Amino acid sequence: MAVSGHIDECGWDVVRGWAWDPDRPSHRITVKVAVNDIFVGSVVADGIGDDLAAAGFGDGAYRFRFELRPFLVDLSGTIHDITVVDAETGLLVGGIRRISRLSLESFDASVLSDVMAQHVLHGTGIEIGALDNPQRVGVGVLVHYVDRYPTDRLRAEYPEIEDELVEVTIVDDGAALVTVIDNSYDFVIASNVIEHVEDPVAAIVRWTQVLRPGGVLFLLIPNCKNSIDSLRAMTSQLHFEFTDVAAHRFEHYLEWATVVDGLHGDPARHRAELLDQTNYSIHFHVWDELTFAAFLHDTIER
């Protein structure tokens, strides 16, 4: 038995399409609908479809429509896989469809970044410092991965990471990109990177230089309100008016040792000195959504 069919629409409200058995053209197939592999209901595919009849699919009465909203109302904010199968044979009708719905009540940054990446990232680009968590991109999008060390060295540097690391194809300083040609990529992804950069203004300038006209700089930044930086003071715009960024390096390390590591006095200073000597990668800068927006605006103006 063979089942032919297609999902014409799959959204937050409804999934609809058609299904028929060419060996039994008068038979009306009952389709079962599942959300994330959990059965939620069934419906008979017997709706009139004049376009199907005109295309040679029997009498055309093979359309189905199933209301999804009642089963998704409590799942807002995540991505869901919708499957439709022939109830009799279990054969898939029209493939697996993925839907998403974001809400303030169940906001998830990883979901938002995946949805946005699907819309705005096209062509060929680079991602800086992806390690074991590269940004998901759409089909046909090509990403080259940039890091300061080759993949084997990174595995040694981060033994705590159990998952597989992406294969580094460009060994370079992610903030400087000295080996990357200007106007050479359609996008640059920097996820949880810019807060580690001592001079984020220079980094943004460099990242935009390697973009082709119309290119996209795709940044994800931890919100200090919900991260390890929650007790730290946010970075002010005045901080970036100093030209000698390196002169403030020890101050950053000392603040980190005091606020994040919880040390004081000589232990804090000794810890800061060790961090400085090893060039340890801390969050040099701290933002929330409003202060980072102000930082971007000021950087563009300058």
Side-chain angles (χ1 to χ4, degrees):
M1 177 180 176
V3 174
S4 296
H6 187 263
I7 296 177
D8 299 325
E9 177 187 356
C10 186
W12 198 253
D13 295 315
V14 66
V15 55
R16 65 178 184 85
W18 56 274
W20 82 307
D21 178 2
D23 296 329
R24 297 186 295 170
S26 61
H27 175 65
R28 310 305 172 190
I29 293 176
T30 297
V31 296
K32 296 173 63 175
V33 179
V35 177
N36 303 327
D37 295 326
I38 299 176
F39 170 70
V40 295
S42 60
V43 64
V44 178
D46 60 356
I48 301 298
D50 294 334
D51 56 335
L52 294 176
F57 294 97
D59 60 14
Y62 310 116
R63 291 202 169 279
F64 65 85
R65 188 178 190 278
F66 184 83
E67 297 288 339
L68 281 173
R69 177 177 285 274
F71 306 99
L72 299 176
V73 65
D74 295 328
L75 300 177
S76 175
T78 55
I79 293 177
H80 310 294
D81 289 332
I82 309 299
T83 53
V84 179
V85 301
D86 176 4
E88 184 178 343
T89 66
L91 296 175
L92 198 63
V93 175
I96 300 174
R97 298 303 174 92
R98 177 161 287 182
I99 63 172
S100 64
R101 171 103 175 218
L102 301 175
S103 70
L104 294 177
E105 291 76 16
S106 55
F107 187 84
D108 187 309
S110 64
V111 174
L112 176 61
S113 66
D114 289 348
V115 172
M116 292 301 298
Q118 294 282 332
H119 285 285
V120 303
L121 300 183
H122 307 284
T124 302
I126 58 177
E127 179 169 2
I128 301 167
L131 294 177
D132 63 328
N133 189 30
Q135 173 60 52
R136 295 183 180 90
V137 295
V139 176
V141 178
L142 179 62
V143 184
H144 297 290
Y145 295 103
V146 179
D147 218 304
R148 57 180 177 163
Y149 299 131
T151 308
D152 290 342
R153 171 77 181 274
L154 289 174
R155 291 193 184 100
E157 289 284 322
Y158 301 99
E160 69 276 11
I161 298 180
E162 298 179 356
D163 295 331
E164 187 64 26
L165 304 182
V166 298
E167 194 64 33
V168 175
T169 53
I170 302 174
V171 178
D172 202 339
D173 179 341
L177 298 179
V178 296
T179 65
V180 179
I181 301 173
D182 290 359
N183 303 310
S184 56
Y185 287 106
D186 298 305
F187 60 84
V188 172
I189 303 171
S191 177
N192 295 283
V193 169
I194 196 169
E195 68 276 9
H196 292 273
V197 176
E198 290 187 68
D199 190 346
V201 175
I204 287 181
V205 170
R206 181 61 192 137
W207 292 341
T208 55
Q209 286 173 341
V210 306
L211 291 173
R212 297 184 179 117
V216 174
L217 177 55
F218 196 85
L219 300 178
L220 286 85
I221 300 95
N223 189 326
C224 69
K225 297 176 182 176
N226 309 308
S227 73
I228 195 173
D229 300 313
S230 60
L231 298 178
R232 298 176 66 193
M234 284 181 282
T235 304
S236 69
Q237 292 305 105
L238 182 64
H239 174 78
F240 298 108
E241 294 184 9
F242 293 98
T243 56
D244 187 5
V245 176
H248 299 275
R249 181 180 299 122
F250 187 77
E251 295 176 14
H252 288 297
Y253 282 129
L254 185 59
E255 183 204 13
W256 182 273
T258 302
V259 180
V260 178
D261 293 337
L263 302 175
H264 301 280
D266 289 341
R269 181 164 292 276
H270 292 156
R271 173 63 173 164
E273 290 172 350
L274 178 62
L275 295 174
D276 194 7
Q277 292 167 7
T278 58
N279 195 28
Y280 191 80
S281 180
I282 66 168
H283 291 183
F284 285 102
H285 305 293
V286 178
W287 295 286
D288 64 6
E289 62 273 29
L290 294 179
T291 55
F292 189 75
F295 162 73
L296 279 182
H297 176 78
D298 186 65
T299 299
I300 292 169
E301 288 296 311
R302 291 170 58 187

